Amino acid sequence: MPLLKSWVSKVILVVAIAVALMIAAHIVQAQQVTLRVAAGYVVLPPWPAPWWNPYAPGNIVWATLDMPLALIDWSTLRLYPILAENWTVETFPNGSALLTIYLRKGLYWYNGSATMPFTAWDVYAEFYIGVKAFGWYVPWINASLVDEDIRVVNNYTIQFLFQKWAFANEIYVLTTTMDAPWFVWKPVVEKLKTMNVSQALSYGSNNITKMVVPYWEIGPYYVTSVTSSGVVIQLEPHNLLKEWYEVFPINSFQYYPTVVYTYTTSYSQQFTLLLGHQLDWIWAALSVAQMDTLNATGKIDVGTPYWDMCQTKGLWLNPLVYPFNIPAVRQAFNYIFNSTAIAIVFPTSYFPTEHDLWISDAFLRIAAPESIKAIVFNYPTNWTKAAELLESAGLYKKGNQWYLPNGTPLKLTIYVSSFLTDMQEEASVAAKDLQAFGIPTTVLSMDPSTLNGRLIPSGDFEAIWGFYVCPYGYLG
């Protein structure tokens, strides 16, 4: 895997004091207010478009606040039932396992005017399409056996048979949000049932990702407005909301009947809007100077790290592009960087890990058996080793320039989201390392909609600076 470096991510939650979120309902009575929240940069195509399609690039499903089957506390890996009421895992001697999920009754989908009961068929559609048309959980679930391996027992019970079991599968399945009721996806599921796996994968990327689906939500809020500047959500009517009070007996949503998401182009813009009291809540990686400025106001609460977990973050080389399709070349890049220098660009938000993560989530490393941990490579800065690996792949160095075997100078272009100020600076530090090593490197910032919606799905890039899910969700 072409992972170069990774860091522990501490994304700082910044909240205006007047709207502190986590207040126990039975202790404090608060006046209801509108909560103004920063959102990422979105270039929204006009309706009809796949806004509410969870399989489509650039969707805005995130704005619905759809609930998952369970929420997780990443610090303890403890799961809390939400749409699911309970679940069991039965493992078998051959390494397979049966995950049975029992759903909570009495919850409803809502679209602003109509309701529909939430059932196991909604869960079935979400995962059936994901596995067969997009390769979810392969090889743990065999996509060719999905008709037998995912089955609805009754309206409130669903089972998943994994040919290979891993602890992470339980977490992945249960933390998946549900995005649309069964009737929306029923025609798609029925069509997929007539296809083999390769046909289904093609249909997924070429057809499902372009489908316009109606808006539905399963959660305490529903969307009331979508514009080019943001999204507005409101609490559900009381007759529906009472079920969510049972799910969340201690909650903060009762204080915020309306939430306004404002699209922003960068962490720096979020910082400026918060400082000017135009936003109440941002989720951003801020510099030390920015943190000091917020603290100095005496009116802005700079929260402790909200999300304290490892993220596989760094330079992602496209394994479909020469010479990065050669494992030795990808491995060589691991030895070029000074990962400590890169990580401390934003010291309040990131710091180097003890090991380079070979996977995208910290809990997988925590749960990995010792036999796996024992073969994890550390990649200290070692230019001699990097040179040996490149030379083993036929590359050579003349002066301070590396060349491909055919004499073409080796150069690199790194694309990074223009929204992510921290990643732009990290990529620039990494580019200096590459330049000093003999690989001229250019860093290009690109607006997130173009980067994530066009460039990455096309595969027409050499390198991306970002999180794992960005490039490799498409490259497979």
Side-chain angles (χ1 to χ4, degrees):
M1 180 176 289
L3 165 64
L4 296 186
K5 291 294 174 186
S6 57
W7 296 272
V8 171
S9 171
K10 285 193 172 183
V11 180
I12 303 300
L13 181 69
V14 184
V15 187
I17 289 176
V19 291
L21 290 179
M22 296 307 295
I23 302 173
H26 65 286
I27 297 176
V28 177
Q29 297 297 321
Q31 182 180 359
Q32 290 187 330
V33 297
T34 295
L35 183 64
R36 302 166 301 174
V37 177
Y41 181 59
V42 176
V43 177
L44 202 61
W47 183 264
W51 292 358
W52 313 116
N53 181 344
Y55 309 103
N59 68 69
I60 54 171
V61 170
W62 54 266
T64 65
L65 289 187
D66 282 334
M67 292 290 106
L69 298 170
L71 290 171
I72 186 170
D73 178 347
W74 290 108
S75 64
T76 63
L77 303 187
R78 180 180 176 183
L79 289 158
Y80 295 86
I82 304 297
L83 300 180
E85 190 170 54
N86 198 2
W87 55 87
T88 61
V89 177
E90 183 180 3
T91 56
F92 304 105
N94 66 355
S96 63
L98 182 68
L99 172 62
T100 303
I101 301 174
Y102 306 93
L103 300 178
R104 194 184 298 270
K105 299 177 181 178
L107 297 178
Y108 289 84
W109 294 93
Y110 186 57
N111 67 358
S113 60
T115 61
M116 184 168 296
F118 172 69
T119 73
W121 289 102
D122 309 324
V123 182
Y124 178 80
E126 184 89 16
F127 285 98
Y128 185 94
I129 295 171
V131 172
K132 191 159 187 180
F134 296 95
W136 293 5
Y137 300 101
V138 175
W140 293 276
I141 289 181
N142 187 330
S144 65
L145 301 177
V146 66
D147 290 285
E148 294 80 28
D149 289 353
I150 302 179
R151 70 187 190 97
V152 174
V153 178
N154 57 50
N155 275 348
Y156 296 98
T157 308
I158 186 169
Q159 291 184 324
F160 299 80
L161 178 62
F162 289 83
Q163 278 77 36
K164 299 178 181 180
W165 180 248
F167 165 73
N169 289 329
E170 178 181 355
I171 293 178
Y172 276 137
V173 170
L174 289 168
T175 56
T176 299
T177 57
M178 299 298 106
D179 300 297
W182 164 245
F183 85 91
V184 172
W185 295 115
K186 181 181 178 182
V188 175
V189 171
E190 291 176 343
K191 192 173 187 67
L192 288 173
K193 286 181 179 291
T194 68
M195 301 178 181
N196 60 35
V197 174
S198 60
Q199 290 170 332
L201 291 172
S202 175
Y203 184 71
S205 60
N206 296 320
N207 298 86
I208 296 176
T209 56
K210 299 177 177 62
M211 291 181 178
V212 177
V213 300
Y215 166 73
W216 288 88
E217 62 79 27
I218 185 76
Y221 287 91
Y222 70 102
V223 174
T224 60
S225 172
V226 178
T227 68
S228 59
S229 60
V231 177
V232 179
I233 62 175
Q234 291 184 337
L235 282 178
E236 288 186 335
H238 180 71
N239 62 315
L240 297 175
L241 194 60
K242 65 180 182 180
E243 301 297 338
W244 293 107
Y245 277 98
E246 294 184 11
V247 179
F248 299 105
I250 299 177
N251 64 76
S252 60
F253 56 70
Q254 61 182 307
Y255 302 111
Y256 308 104
T258 302
V259 179
V260 178
Y261 290 106
T262 299
Y263 301 145
T264 56
T265 58
S266 67
Y267 288 155
S268 293
Q269 185 191 15
Q270 290 186 12
F271 165 79
T272 300
L273 292 174
L274 182 70
L275 195 61
H277 301 286
Q278 295 174 275
L279 287 175
D280 303 309
W281 192 97
I282 71 173
W283 184 65
L286 301 179
S287 67
V288 173
Q290 289 171 320
M291 300 281 277
D292 289 343
T293 300
L294 293 178
N295 279 320
T297 66
K299 297 179 180 180
I300 305 293
D301 176 33
V302 180
T304 54
Y306 171 70
W307 194 18
D308 187 0
M309 63 170 293
C310 292
Q311 284 284 312
T312 305
K313 173 190 178 187
L315 183 67
W316 300 94
L317 297 169
N318 189 338
L320 305 181
V321 174
Y322 177 80
F324 309 118
N325 60 333
I326 303 173
V329 173
R330 299 198 301 270
Q331 189 177 16
F333 273 66
N334 284 284
Y335 289 106
I336 296 173
F337 297 118
N338 181 337
S339 61
T340 300
I342 296 172
I344 63 174
V345 168
F346 273 70
T348 56
S349 300
Y350 306 104
F351 59 87
T353 58
E354 179 183 352
H355 293 280
D356 296 293
L357 300 182
W358 70 102
I359 45 182
S360 62
D361 292 291
F363 74 84
L364 293 180
R365 178 175 176 79
I366 295 170
E370 291 302 321
S371 59
I372 297 297
K373 294 179 182 179
I375 60 173
V376 177
F377 287 98
N378 285 323
Y379 288 101
T381 305
N382 188 333
W383 284 12
T384 299
K385 182 66 175 178
E388 291 173 355
L389 287 165
L390 290 178
E391 289 169 353
S392 72
L395 284 74
Y396 62 93
K397 190 175 186 181
K398 184 185 297 183
N400 194 39
Q401 170 68 58
W402 280 91
Y403 292 86
L404 300 175
N406 65 2
T408 302
L410 176 60
K411 300 179 181 180
L412 188 69
T413 298
I414 303 172
Y415 290 94
V416 61
S417 170
S418 60
F419 180 84
L420 302 171
T421 307
D422 55 328
M423 293 197 191
Q424 293 173 46
E425 294 196 25
E426 293 159 2
S428 296
V429 174
K432 291 179 181 179
D433 286 342
L434 290 167
Q435 185 79 38
F437 182 74
I439 303 174
T441 301
T442 302
V443 177
L444 295 180
S445 296
M446 182 176 286
D447 78 80
S449 294
T450 303
L451 180 69
N452 298 317
R454 298 178 188 175
L455 182 70
I456 291 176
S458 74
D460 188 20
F461 64 89
E462 295 174 322
I464 301 289
W465 192 276
F467 292 117
Y468 168 86
V469 70
C470 297
Y472 289 97
Y474 291 98
L475 297 179

